[in-house]
mmCIF file of all heavy atoms in Angstrom:
data_model
loop_
_atom_site.group_PDB
_atom_site.id
_atom_site.type_symbol
_atom_site.label_atom_id
_atom_site.label_comp_id
_atom_site.label_asym_id
_atom_site.label_seq_id
_atom_site.Cartn_x
_atom_site.Cartn_y
_atom_site.Cartn_z
ATOM 1 N N ARG A 1 0.383 -8.246 -21.021
ATOM 2 C CA ARG A 1 0.310 -6.799 -20.779
ATOM 3 C C ARG A 1 -0.053 -6.488 -19.344
ATOM 4 O O ARG A 1 0.576 -5.677 -18.676
ATOM 5 C CB ARG A 1 -0.709 -6.170 -21.745
ATOM 6 C CG ARG A 1 -1.054 -4.739 -21.380
ATOM 7 C CD ARG A 1 -2.190 -4.216 -22.234
ATOM 8 N NE ARG A 1 -2.724 -2.980 -21.669
ATOM 9 C CZ ARG A 1 -3.680 -2.931 -20.757
ATOM 10 N NH1 ARG A 1 -4.228 -4.041 -20.291
ATOM 11 N NH2 ARG A 1 -4.093 -1.750 -20.292
ATOM 12 N N LEU A 2 -1.131 -7.131 -18.845
ATOM 13 C CA LEU A 2 -1.575 -6.881 -17.471
ATOM 14 C C LEU A 2 -0.471 -7.219 -16.463
ATOM 15 O O LEU A 2 -0.263 -6.470 -15.496
ATOM 16 C CB LEU A 2 -2.840 -7.724 -17.182
ATOM 17 C CG LEU A 2 -4.124 -7.254 -17.846
ATOM 18 C CD1 LEU A 2 -5.227 -8.279 -17.662
ATOM 19 C CD2 LEU A 2 -4.566 -5.909 -17.274
ATOM 20 N N SER A 3 0.217 -8.308 -16.688
ATOM 21 C CA SER A 3 1.259 -8.731 -15.726
ATOM 22 C C SER A 3 2.476 -7.817 -15.755
ATOM 23 O O SER A 3 3.309 -7.874 -14.855
ATOM 24 C CB SER A 3 1.692 -10.163 -16.032
ATOM 25 O OG SER A 3 2.326 -10.241 -17.294
ATOM 26 N N SER A 4 2.598 -6.975 -16.798
ATOM 27 C CA SER A 4 3.774 -6.137 -16.945
ATOM 28 C C SER A 4 3.529 -4.669 -16.600
ATOM 29 O O SER A 4 4.458 -3.861 -16.635
ATOM 30 C CB SER A 4 4.325 -6.221 -18.387
ATOM 31 O OG SER A 4 4.644 -7.558 -18.713
ATOM 32 N N LEU A 5 2.269 -4.298 -16.289
ATOM 33 C CA LEU A 5 1.959 -2.915 -15.988
ATOM 34 C C LEU A 5 2.719 -2.407 -14.764
ATOM 35 O O LEU A 5 3.069 -1.226 -14.691
ATOM 36 C CB LEU A 5 0.447 -2.743 -15.768
ATOM 37 C CG LEU A 5 -0.433 -2.851 -17.033
ATOM 38 C CD1 LEU A 5 -1.925 -2.787 -16.648
ATOM 39 C CD2 LEU A 5 -0.109 -1.747 -18.017
ATOM 40 N N ALA A 6 2.968 -3.304 -13.834
ATOM 41 C CA ALA A 6 3.683 -2.901 -12.618
ATOM 42 C C ALA A 6 5.184 -3.125 -12.715
ATOM 43 O O ALA A 6 5.922 -2.851 -11.752
ATOM 44 C CB ALA A 6 3.119 -3.666 -11.406
ATOM 45 N N ASP A 7 5.621 -3.666 -13.833
ATOM 46 C CA ASP A 7 7.024 -3.960 -14.019
ATOM 47 C C ASP A 7 7.698 -2.806 -14.748
ATOM 48 O O ASP A 7 7.548 -2.611 -15.966
ATOM 49 C CB ASP A 7 7.185 -5.256 -14.838
ATOM 50 C CG ASP A 7 8.631 -5.681 -14.978
ATOM 51 O OD1 ASP A 7 9.525 -4.963 -14.479
ATOM 52 O OD2 ASP A 7 8.871 -6.729 -15.619
ATOM 53 N N GLN A 8 8.433 -1.966 -14.017
ATOM 54 C CA GLN A 8 9.035 -0.775 -14.580
ATOM 55 C C GLN A 8 10.450 -1.009 -15.106
ATOM 56 O O GLN A 8 11.156 -0.069 -15.463
ATOM 57 C CB GLN A 8 9.039 0.359 -13.557
ATOM 58 C CG GLN A 8 7.655 0.825 -13.174
ATOM 59 C CD GLN A 8 6.847 1.265 -14.383
ATOM 60 O OE1 GLN A 8 7.289 2.112 -15.184
ATOM 61 N NE2 GLN A 8 5.647 0.697 -14.532
ATOM 62 N N THR A 9 10.882 -2.271 -15.134
ATOM 63 C CA THR A 9 12.178 -2.567 -15.734
ATOM 64 C C THR A 9 12.066 -2.397 -17.255
ATOM 65 O O THR A 9 10.970 -2.445 -17.810
ATOM 66 C CB THR A 9 12.613 -4.009 -15.425
ATOM 67 O OG1 THR A 9 11.719 -4.921 -16.059
ATOM 68 C CG2 THR A 9 12.648 -4.249 -13.928
ATOM 69 N N PRO A 10 13.200 -2.207 -17.945
ATOM 70 C CA PRO A 10 13.131 -2.063 -19.407
ATOM 71 C C PRO A 10 12.490 -3.280 -20.074
ATOM 72 O O PRO A 10 11.777 -3.140 -21.080
ATOM 73 C CB PRO A 10 14.610 -1.948 -19.805
ATOM 74 C CG PRO A 10 15.263 -1.335 -18.623
ATOM 75 C CD PRO A 10 14.544 -1.941 -17.436
ATOM 76 N N GLU A 11 12.686 -4.482 -19.492
ATOM 77 C CA GLU A 11 12.073 -5.682 -20.066
ATOM 78 C C GLU A 11 10.558 -5.617 -19.925
ATOM 79 O O GLU A 11 9.820 -5.943 -20.866
ATOM 80 C CB GLU A 11 12.611 -6.924 -19.362
ATOM 81 C CG GLU A 11 14.092 -7.233 -19.643
ATOM 82 C CD GLU A 11 15.019 -6.402 -18.790
ATOM 83 O OE1 GLU A 11 14.508 -5.630 -17.908
ATOM 84 O OE2 GLU A 11 16.240 -6.498 -18.981
ATOM 85 N N GLY A 12 10.089 -5.166 -18.753
ATOM 86 C CA GLY A 12 8.650 -5.070 -18.530
ATOM 87 C C GLY A 12 8.001 -4.036 -19.431
ATOM 88 O O GLY A 12 6.929 -4.310 -20.030
ATOM 89 N N THR A 13 8.617 -2.879 -19.571
ATOM 90 C CA THR A 13 8.038 -1.852 -20.439
ATOM 91 C C THR A 13 8.074 -2.262 -21.908
ATOM 92 O O THR A 13 7.203 -1.874 -22.700
ATOM 93 C CB THR A 13 8.784 -0.510 -20.251
ATOM 94 O OG1 THR A 13 10.182 -0.704 -20.500
ATOM 95 C CG2 THR A 13 8.605 0.033 -18.860
ATOM 96 N N SER A 14 9.086 -3.074 -22.285
ATOM 97 C CA SER A 14 9.137 -3.546 -23.671
ATOM 98 C C SER A 14 7.998 -4.489 -23.987
ATOM 99 O O SER A 14 7.510 -4.537 -25.105
ATOM 100 C CB SER A 14 10.483 -4.199 -23.958
ATOM 101 O OG SER A 14 10.548 -5.522 -23.449
ATOM 102 N N ILE A 15 7.547 -5.256 -22.974
ATOM 103 C CA ILE A 15 6.408 -6.187 -23.201
ATOM 104 C C ILE A 15 5.134 -5.385 -23.422
ATOM 105 O O ILE A 15 4.354 -5.688 -24.349
ATOM 106 C CB ILE A 15 6.271 -7.121 -21.991
ATOM 107 C CG1 ILE A 15 7.490 -8.055 -21.890
ATOM 108 C CG2 ILE A 15 4.997 -7.958 -22.106
ATOM 109 C CD1 ILE A 15 7.545 -8.864 -20.591
ATOM 110 N N VAL A 16 4.910 -4.362 -22.618
ATOM 111 C CA VAL A 16 3.724 -3.522 -22.794
ATOM 112 C C VAL A 16 3.766 -2.838 -24.162
ATOM 113 O O VAL A 16 2.739 -2.790 -24.866
ATOM 114 C CB VAL A 16 3.655 -2.447 -21.662
ATOM 115 C CG1 VAL A 16 2.487 -1.480 -21.915
ATOM 116 C CG2 VAL A 16 3.497 -3.126 -20.316
ATOM 117 N N ALA A 17 4.931 -2.343 -24.544
ATOM 118 C CA ALA A 17 5.077 -1.676 -25.850
ATOM 119 C C ALA A 17 4.829 -2.651 -26.992
ATOM 120 O O ALA A 17 4.217 -2.323 -28.003
ATOM 121 C CB ALA A 17 6.454 -1.046 -25.975
ATOM 122 N N TYR A 18 5.319 -3.893 -26.859
ATOM 123 C CA TYR A 18 5.155 -4.915 -27.905
ATOM 124 C C TYR A 18 3.674 -5.238 -28.095
ATOM 125 O O TYR A 18 3.164 -5.343 -29.213
ATOM 126 C CB TYR A 18 5.944 -6.163 -27.519
ATOM 127 C CG TYR A 18 5.847 -7.281 -28.536
ATOM 128 C CD1 TYR A 18 6.710 -7.331 -29.617
ATOM 129 C CD2 TYR A 18 4.915 -8.297 -28.395
ATOM 130 C CE1 TYR A 18 6.641 -8.376 -30.545
ATOM 131 C CE2 TYR A 18 4.823 -9.345 -29.321
ATOM 132 C CZ TYR A 18 5.699 -9.363 -30.400
ATOM 133 O OH TYR A 18 5.612 -10.385 -31.312
ATOM 134 N N CYS A 19 2.946 -5.408 -26.961
ATOM 135 C CA CYS A 19 1.516 -5.714 -27.037
ATOM 136 C C CYS A 19 0.731 -4.562 -27.643
ATOM 137 O O CYS A 19 -0.264 -4.779 -28.360
ATOM 138 C CB CYS A 19 0.971 -6.040 -25.644
ATOM 139 S SG CYS A 19 1.659 -7.568 -24.939
ATOM 140 N N ALA A 20 1.154 -3.337 -27.378
ATOM 141 C CA ALA A 20 0.482 -2.184 -27.973
ATOM 142 C C ALA A 20 0.746 -2.115 -29.464
ATOM 143 O O ALA A 20 -0.171 -1.859 -30.260
ATOM 144 C CB ALA A 20 0.964 -0.909 -27.282
ATOM 145 N N GLU A 21 1.980 -2.383 -29.870
ATOM 146 C CA GLU A 21 2.326 -2.282 -31.284
ATOM 147 C C GLU A 21 1.737 -3.406 -32.123
ATOM 148 O O GLU A 21 1.228 -3.179 -33.217
ATOM 149 C CB GLU A 21 3.862 -2.287 -31.416
ATOM 150 C CG GLU A 21 4.358 -2.176 -32.849
ATOM 151 C CD GLU A 21 5.876 -2.226 -32.921
ATOM 152 O OE1 GLU A 21 6.554 -1.959 -31.896
ATOM 153 O OE2 GLU A 21 6.395 -2.558 -34.009
ATOM 154 N N GLN A 22 1.799 -4.624 -31.574
ATOM 155 C CA GLN A 22 1.343 -5.791 -32.361
ATOM 156 C C GLN A 22 -0.156 -6.067 -32.254
ATOM 157 O O GLN A 22 -0.761 -6.584 -33.179
ATOM 158 C CB GLN A 22 2.134 -7.026 -31.920
ATOM 159 C CG GLN A 22 3.630 -6.930 -32.121
ATOM 160 C CD GLN A 22 4.015 -6.847 -33.589
ATOM 161 O OE1 GLN A 22 3.391 -7.489 -34.435
ATOM 162 N NE2 GLN A 22 5.048 -6.064 -33.903
ATOM 163 N N TYR A 23 -0.743 -5.704 -31.097
ATOM 164 C CA TYR A 23 -2.152 -6.110 -30.877
ATOM 165 C C TYR A 23 -3.057 -4.928 -30.535
ATOM 166 O O TYR A 23 -4.222 -5.117 -30.207
ATOM 167 C CB TYR A 23 -2.211 -7.154 -29.759
ATOM 168 C CG TYR A 23 -1.383 -8.379 -30.085
ATOM 169 C CD1 TYR A 23 -0.115 -8.540 -29.533
ATOM 170 C CD2 TYR A 23 -1.847 -9.347 -30.956
ATOM 171 C CE1 TYR A 23 0.662 -9.624 -29.817
ATOM 172 C CE2 TYR A 23 -1.057 -10.466 -31.281
ATOM 173 C CZ TYR A 23 0.185 -10.584 -30.699
ATOM 174 O OH TYR A 23 0.971 -11.695 -31.014
ATOM 175 N N GLY A 24 -2.509 -3.716 -30.562
ATOM 176 C CA GLY A 24 -3.342 -2.547 -30.325
ATOM 177 C C GLY A 24 -3.830 -2.373 -28.918
ATOM 178 O O GLY A 24 -4.836 -1.683 -28.691
ATOM 179 N N LEU A 25 -3.152 -2.946 -27.947
ATOM 180 C CA LEU A 25 -3.579 -2.861 -26.554
ATOM 181 C C LEU A 25 -3.041 -1.561 -25.934
ATOM 182 O O LEU A 25 -1.971 -1.083 -26.286
ATOM 183 C CB LEU A 25 -3.098 -4.077 -25.767
ATOM 184 C CG LEU A 25 -3.605 -5.444 -26.251
ATOM 185 C CD1 LEU A 25 -2.975 -6.553 -25.460
ATOM 186 C CD2 LEU A 25 -5.128 -5.499 -26.185
ATOM 187 N N PRO A 26 -3.777 -0.987 -24.977
ATOM 188 C CA PRO A 26 -3.313 0.268 -24.354
ATOM 189 C C PRO A 26 -2.062 0.063 -23.520
ATOM 190 O O PRO A 26 -1.823 -1.014 -22.970
ATOM 191 C CB PRO A 26 -4.515 0.685 -23.480
ATOM 192 C CG PRO A 26 -5.271 -0.573 -23.249
ATOM 193 C CD PRO A 26 -5.102 -1.431 -24.457
ATOM 194 N N THR A 27 -1.269 1.125 -23.437
ATOM 195 C CA THR A 27 -0.011 1.056 -22.684
ATOM 196 C C THR A 27 -0.185 1.455 -21.236
ATOM 197 O O THR A 27 0.740 1.297 -20.441
ATOM 198 C CB THR A 27 1.042 1.969 -23.327
ATOM 199 O OG1 THR A 27 0.532 3.307 -23.379
ATOM 200 C CG2 THR A 27 1.374 1.501 -24.752
ATOM 201 N N ARG A 28 -1.346 2.003 -20.866
ATOM 202 C CA ARG A 28 -1.590 2.417 -19.489
ATOM 203 C C ARG A 28 -2.807 1.683 -18.927
ATOM 204 O O ARG A 28 -3.661 1.206 -19.698
ATOM 205 C CB ARG A 28 -1.840 3.925 -19.427
ATOM 206 C CG ARG A 28 -0.629 4.742 -19.849
ATOM 207 C CD ARG A 28 -0.937 6.226 -19.786
ATOM 208 N NE ARG A 28 0.207 7.028 -20.177
ATOM 209 C CZ ARG A 28 1.220 7.378 -19.393
ATOM 210 N NH1 ARG A 28 1.182 6.994 -18.122
ATOM 211 N NH2 ARG A 28 2.226 8.079 -19.842
ATOM 212 N N PRO A 29 -2.929 1.577 -17.608
ATOM 213 C CA PRO A 29 -4.119 0.926 -17.011
ATOM 214 C C PRO A 29 -5.398 1.617 -17.431
ATOM 215 O O PRO A 29 -5.456 2.835 -17.517
ATOM 216 C CB PRO A 29 -3.861 1.058 -15.507
ATOM 217 C CG PRO A 29 -2.375 1.250 -15.383
ATOM 218 C CD PRO A 29 -1.939 1.982 -16.589
ATOM 219 N N GLN A 30 -6.397 0.810 -17.695
ATOM 220 C CA GLN A 30 -7.703 1.331 -18.136
ATOM 221 C C GLN A 30 -8.804 0.835 -17.200
ATOM 222 O O GLN A 30 -8.753 -0.320 -16.749
ATOM 223 C CB GLN A 30 -8.005 0.847 -19.560
ATOM 224 C CG GLN A 30 -6.925 1.191 -20.611
ATOM 225 C CD GLN A 30 -6.859 2.640 -20.939
ATOM 226 O OE1 GLN A 30 -7.915 3.275 -21.137
ATOM 227 N NE2 GLN A 30 -5.672 3.209 -20.956
ATOM 228 N N GLY A 31 -9.804 1.648 -16.922
ATOM 229 C CA GLY A 31 -10.998 1.214 -16.193
ATOM 230 C C GLY A 31 -10.691 0.563 -14.873
ATOM 231 O O GLY A 31 -10.028 1.141 -13.975
ATOM 232 N N SER A 32 -11.173 -0.661 -14.721
ATOM 233 C CA SER A 32 -10.992 -1.374 -13.421
ATOM 234 C C SER A 32 -9.535 -1.655 -13.122
ATOM 235 O O SER A 32 -9.171 -1.898 -11.961
ATOM 236 C CB SER A 32 -11.771 -2.706 -13.472
ATOM 237 O OG SER A 32 -11.281 -3.534 -14.548
ATOM 238 N N GLU A 33 -8.684 -1.630 -14.161
ATOM 239 C CA GLU A 33 -7.247 -1.871 -13.928
ATOM 240 C C GLU A 33 -6.640 -0.794 -13.017
ATOM 241 O O GLU A 33 -5.642 -1.044 -12.330
ATOM 242 C CB GLU A 33 -6.494 -1.894 -15.259
ATOM 243 C CG GLU A 33 -6.961 -2.995 -16.199
ATOM 244 C CD GLU A 33 -6.435 -2.798 -17.614
ATOM 245 O OE1 GLU A 33 -5.620 -1.868 -17.844
ATOM 246 O OE2 GLU A 33 -6.869 -3.573 -18.496
ATOM 247 N N LEU A 34 -7.240 0.392 -13.048
ATOM 248 C CA LEU A 34 -6.735 1.492 -12.230
ATOM 249 C C LEU A 34 -6.849 1.202 -10.738
ATOM 250 O O LEU A 34 -6.092 1.744 -9.916
ATOM 251 C CB LEU A 34 -7.469 2.783 -12.558
ATOM 252 C CG LEU A 34 -7.254 3.335 -13.973
ATOM 253 C CD1 LEU A 34 -8.220 4.480 -14.240
ATOM 254 C CD2 LEU A 34 -5.818 3.840 -14.128
ATOM 255 N N HIS A 35 -7.827 0.373 -10.359
ATOM 256 C CA HIS A 35 -8.052 0.049 -8.947
ATOM 257 C C HIS A 35 -7.582 -1.337 -8.565
ATOM 258 O O HIS A 35 -7.836 -1.808 -7.455
ATOM 259 C CB HIS A 35 -9.543 0.195 -8.621
ATOM 260 C CG HIS A 35 -10.108 1.538 -9.052
ATOM 261 N ND1 HIS A 35 -9.824 2.695 -8.392
ATOM 262 C CD2 HIS A 35 -10.941 1.877 -10.080
ATOM 263 C CE1 HIS A 35 -10.430 3.704 -8.978
ATOM 264 N NE2 HIS A 35 -11.124 3.244 -10.015
ATOM 265 N N ALA A 36 -6.937 -2.018 -9.511
ATOM 266 C CA ALA A 36 -6.445 -3.358 -9.228
ATOM 267 C C ALA A 36 -5.181 -3.280 -8.356
ATOM 268 O O ALA A 36 -4.529 -2.238 -8.268
ATOM 269 C CB ALA A 36 -6.155 -4.084 -10.540
ATOM 270 N N GLU A 37 -4.875 -4.386 -7.765
ATOM 271 C CA GLU A 37 -3.667 -4.441 -6.920
ATOM 272 C C GLU A 37 -2.484 -4.919 -7.767
ATOM 273 O O GLU A 37 -2.477 -6.043 -8.241
ATOM 274 C CB GLU A 37 -3.894 -5.402 -5.740
ATOM 275 C CG GLU A 37 -2.691 -5.452 -4.781
ATOM 276 C CD GLU A 37 -2.939 -6.368 -3.611
ATOM 277 O OE1 GLU A 37 -4.102 -6.792 -3.395
ATOM 278 O OE2 GLU A 37 -1.972 -6.684 -2.909
ATOM 279 N N GLU A 38 -1.528 -4.023 -7.981
ATOM 280 C CA GLU A 38 -0.372 -4.377 -8.785
ATOM 281 C C GLU A 38 0.715 -5.040 -7.940
ATOM 282 O O GLU A 38 0.914 -4.695 -6.774
ATOM 283 C CB GLU A 38 0.196 -3.123 -9.453
ATOM 284 C CG GLU A 38 -0.751 -2.502 -10.489
ATOM 285 C CD GLU A 38 -0.136 -1.283 -11.156
ATOM 286 O OE1 GLU A 38 0.838 -0.729 -10.589
ATOM 287 O OE2 GLU A 38 -0.620 -0.893 -12.246
ATOM 288 N N VAL A 39 1.423 -5.968 -8.562
ATOM 289 C CA VAL A 39 2.536 -6.662 -7.899
ATOM 290 C C VAL A 39 3.794 -6.295 -8.651
ATOM 291 O O VAL A 39 4.032 -6.772 -9.761
ATOM 292 C CB VAL A 39 2.318 -8.191 -7.887
ATOM 293 C CG1 VAL A 39 3.499 -8.889 -7.224
ATOM 294 C CG2 VAL A 39 1.006 -8.548 -7.242
ATOM 295 N N ALA A 40 4.591 -5.440 -8.058
ATOM 296 C CA ALA A 40 5.812 -4.946 -8.737
ATOM 297 C C ALA A 40 6.864 -6.025 -8.813
ATOM 298 O O ALA A 40 6.932 -6.921 -7.963
ATOM 299 C CB ALA A 40 6.357 -3.721 -8.004
ATOM 300 N N PHE A 41 7.709 -5.919 -9.829
ATOM 301 C CA PHE A 41 8.815 -6.855 -9.978
ATOM 302 C C PHE A 41 9.885 -6.551 -8.924
ATOM 303 O O PHE A 41 10.224 -5.409 -8.656
ATOM 304 C CB PHE A 41 9.441 -6.710 -11.368
ATOM 305 C CG PHE A 41 10.662 -7.550 -11.580
ATOM 306 C CD1 PHE A 41 10.546 -8.884 -11.969
ATOM 307 C CD2 PHE A 41 11.929 -7.031 -11.354
ATOM 308 C CE1 PHE A 41 11.683 -9.650 -12.146
ATOM 309 C CE2 PHE A 41 13.061 -7.809 -11.519
ATOM 310 C CZ PHE A 41 12.943 -9.125 -11.918
#
């Protein structure tokens, strides 16, 4: 999920959605993630 937050391709967004659906993880950056350095695909 963390590695895909900056990946705006359909594949990247599908990974975030899968982790949210299967494991209840948030789909948007939370807390310290908001200030982390993202590496876009």
Side-chain angles (χ1 to χ4, degrees):
R1 168 188 166 273
L2 286 170
S3 65
S4 302
L5 288 175
D7 184 359
Q8 295 304 307
T9 65
E11 291 81 4
T13 55
S14 78
I15 294 170
V16 175
Y18 181 85
C19 293
E21 180 182 340
Q22 299 295 324
Y23 303 100
L25 299 176
T27 57
R28 296 180 180 276
Q30 305 289 315
S32 60
E33 299 167 6
L34 294 170
H35 307 288
E37 183 178 347
E38 294 182 341
V39 179
F41 175 85

